[in-house]
Amino acid sequence: MTDVRPATTADAAGIAALEALAFGPEAWSQELVLVEVTAPLRHALVVGDEPLGWASVQVVGDVADLTRVAVRPDARRRGLARRLLADAWSVAEEAGSDRMLLEVGASNDAAIGLYAAAGFVEIDRRHGYYAGGGTAIVMERRRDGGTS
Ligand SMILES: CC(C)(COP(=O)(O)OP(=O)(O)OC[C@H]1O[C@@H](n2cnc3c(N)ncnc32)[C@H](O)[C@@H]1OP(=O)(O)O)[C@@H](O)C(=O)NCCC(=O)NCCS
């Protein structure tokens, strides 16, 4: 089963397991995942029963922030993240946002490729943003197709 669906509290353990596989020491704990799944203004989505992937977006006013997207290593390059991102965009649009922002590590080629393919463009760079000193790229996708 690989439909994208809203995450529920019953998915928290499975999402935390996939987080550990996708992010290692940077993974969110089950407690953090539970907060993301239940917090107001947040929309968490999963794909697959286990699940195989998840994404979460926070919508405040007309701006949506993509807070997370990850797919299990053994399920990658099958278009799951593309579908999660497309549904996150639709959910954010329905909630009233006309643009989406995200931050991605400058060395994360897979994620940058995913976002670029989905229509996100770089609008800023934050040097030393991450704990280890790494650079974050800020990317944006606008409903009108423009850039800030
Ligand atoms: C980034 C990630 C979510 C992509 O998941 P995925 O399901 O494999 O991505 P998809 O199969 O939907 O790929 C969609 C497009 O993204 C791009 N892409 C995905 N993986 C890529 C890679 N390793 N290198 C370059 N481009 C890549 C391609 O354009 C791809 O389209 P294509 O397969 O037709 O070429 C996954 O690699 C992951 O979970 N990484 C670890 C967690 C992470 O870094 N999350 C993002 C934090 S900002």
Side-chain angles (χ1 to χ4, degrees), residues 22-23 69-72 75-83 103-105 108-111 113-115 117:
F23 292 105
V69 59
V71 170
R72 262 180 32 180
R76 288 181 189 163
R77 297 312 283 265
R78 289 195 225 155
L80 297 185
R82 181 189 292 118
R83 287 170 45 201
E103 275 142 10
V104 57
N108 193 342
D109 293 334
L114 167 72
Y115 301 139

Side-chain angles (χ1 to χ4, degrees), residues 3 25 52 56-57 83 87 96 99 130-132 135:
D3 287 341
L52 299 172
S56 191
V57 63
R83 287 170 45 201
D87 280 38
R99 63 192 179 111
Y130 296 110
T135 296

Side-chain angles (χ1 to χ4, degrees), residues 84-110:
L84 283 161
L85 209 49
D87 280 38
W89 176 261
S90 298
V91 164
E93 265 194 326
E94 281 163 24
S97 72
D98 57 20
R99 63 192 179 111
M100 186 178 287
L101 294 167
L102 61 85
E103 275 142 10
V104 57
S107 61
N108 193 342
D109 293 334

